[in-house]
Amino acid sequence: MRANKKLWAAVTVCAAVVAGATGCSQGGDKATDPFAGLTADAIADKAVETTKASTALHMSGKGKTDGQEMSIDFAVDDKGNCKGSMQSPGGGKADIVGTGGASYMKADDAFWKSNDGGDESSDEEGAGIAALLNGRWMKMTDEGGAGDDGPAAFCDLKKIITDMDKDTPRKGLTRDADADVNGTPAVVLSKKDKDESTTFYVVKDSAKPYILRVVTTGGDEPGTIDLSDFDKPVTVSAPPADQVVDLEELMKGMS
C-alpha cells in the first residue's frame, strides 16, 4: 500500500488504517493462529475490509516523493474532523486542523518556500504568502469545486480509505514470520515487484485484523506509515477568527 499520492501532493502523505488492542499469542503455534487455514491473500482481504469500516484513525510516518522526504503525524475521523502536522523537504513545518467543512493551515516560512517549487520566483511567492499570513491560519474550503485535489481531501476519511483500498496489494502475497509492532502481535504480509517491495503488518486478531504498519522499499515512493487510535474520535476546534485569513482573500491580496 502506497502513501496517498493526492495528499502527498497537497504537502503530506497519507494512506491506510490503524491498530487495535489484541490478546492473541505472538508465537507461530498453529493452534493459536487466528488465521490458520487462510492464505496470505485472504488475510489481506480481511484486513482491508475491516479497515474500510473504520470511523477514525491516526497515521504517522515518513516517505519520499519526487526524491524528497516528507513526514506526517495526522488524525482524522469520519465526521470531517482532522488535526496534525507535516514536515516538508526544506525543513519547514505546517500544522493543520479541519472541522465544519473547512481546513486551516499554519506554517513557517521554510514550509511555504519548499512547497512552492524551490526556484527563485516560487521562493518569492512563498515569502509573499508567509508575509500576508503573518503567523495566522490560512482557511481553505472546497467551495471552488477542487474535489479530490482540494483542501477537503485533508479531512476526508472515506477518500483516504478508498485510496488505501486501491493501493493495497491483495494478490500474490506471501505470509512471512510474525512480528511485533509497538507491542502488538502482527501477521506480516509482503509482495515484491520488479523494483519495489511492499510489506504490511496486520493485527493478529481474526475479529479486528486492522493494518498496523505499511513499509514500501524501492520504487519512486518508499516510506513507512504507522497507524493507531482506531475509531477514536478526533476533537478539534477551529482557530479564533482573528487568527484566520481566508484563502480566497489571500489570493486576491497577492494578485
Side-chain angles (χ1 to χ4, degrees), residues 7-151:
L7 290 185
W8 265 120
V11 293
T12 182
V13 0
C14 206
V17 254
V18 52
T22 176
C24 300
S25 168
Q26 186 177 350
D29 187 340
K30 295 288 185 180
T32 59
D33 183 357
F35 302 118
L38 293 181
T39 65
D41 291 357
I43 297 172
D45 283 338
K46 285 176 65 70
V48 171
E49 293 308 312
T50 301
T51 291
K52 289 169 68 176
S54 61
T55 60
L57 59 88
H58 178 269
M59 64 193 85
S60 62
K62 295 181 179 180
K64 285 188 177 180
T65 181
D66 297 328
Q68 299 188 75
E69 189 171 273
M70 302 183 76
S71 62
I72 181 174
D73 189 345
F74 203 70
V76 58
D77 67 20
D78 62 356
K79 295 179 174 57
N81 299 309
C82 63
K83 62 180 179 181
S85 63
M86 60 195 73
Q87 195 85 17
S88 71
K93 181 182 178 182
D95 294 319
I96 291 179
V97 298
T99 187
S103 299
Y104 305 83
M105 178 185 290
K106 182 167 67 172
D108 56 26
D109 292 3
F111 179 88
W112 292 121
K113 286 185 178 181
S114 65
N115 286 283
D116 267 322
D119 56 30
E120 185 175 345
S121 61
S122 294
D123 284 351
E124 292 178 357
E125 291 176 2
I129 292 175
L132 286 170
L133 287 171
N134 193 25
R136 293 173 294 178
W137 293 84
M138 180 171 68
K139 181 180 180 180
M140 307 170 290
T141 63
D142 212 31
E143 295 176 354
D148 290 346
D149 296 317

Side-chain angles (χ1 to χ4, degrees), residues 85-237:
S85 63
M86 60 195 73
Q87 195 85 17
S88 71
K93 181 182 178 182
D95 294 319
I96 291 179
V97 298
T99 187
S103 299
Y104 305 83
M105 178 185 290
K106 182 167 67 172
D108 56 26
D109 292 3
F111 179 88
W112 292 121
K113 286 185 178 181
S114 65
N115 286 283
D116 267 322
D119 56 30
E120 185 175 345
S121 61
S122 294
D123 284 351
E124 292 178 357
E125 291 176 2
I129 292 175
L132 286 170
L133 287 171
N134 193 25
R136 293 173 294 178
W137 293 84
M138 180 171 68
K139 181 180 180 180
M140 307 170 290
T141 63
D142 212 31
E143 295 176 354
D148 290 346
D149 296 317
F154 281 115
C155 295
D156 191 340
L157 178 62
K158 182 177 180 180
K159 173 89 175 73
I160 292 171
I161 292 181
T162 297
D163 284 352
M164 173 277 301
D165 188 2
K166 292 178 181 177
D167 288 338
T168 301
R170 298 213 211 175
K171 302 296 180 184
L173 291 162
T174 299
R175 179 172 176 177
D176 302 327
D178 292 351
D180 180 276
V181 177
N182 298 325
T184 300
V187 170
V188 183
L189 309 175
S190 64
K191 183 175 182 178
K192 295 183 179 179
D193 293 319
K194 292 181 179 179
D195 61 348
E196 181 178 279
S197 296
T198 302
T199 303
F200 64 104
Y201 300 74
V202 177
V203 177
K204 197 174 180 182
D205 182 344
S206 61
K208 295 183 178 181
Y210 301 111
I211 299 172
L212 287 167
R213 174 177 291 169
V214 181
V215 180
T216 302
T217 58
D220 297 328
E221 297 179 337
T224 298
I225 297 290
D226 281 345
L227 302 116
S228 59
D229 293 342
F230 175 73
D231 287 341
K232 183 178 180 180
V234 179
T235 303
V236 181
S237 296

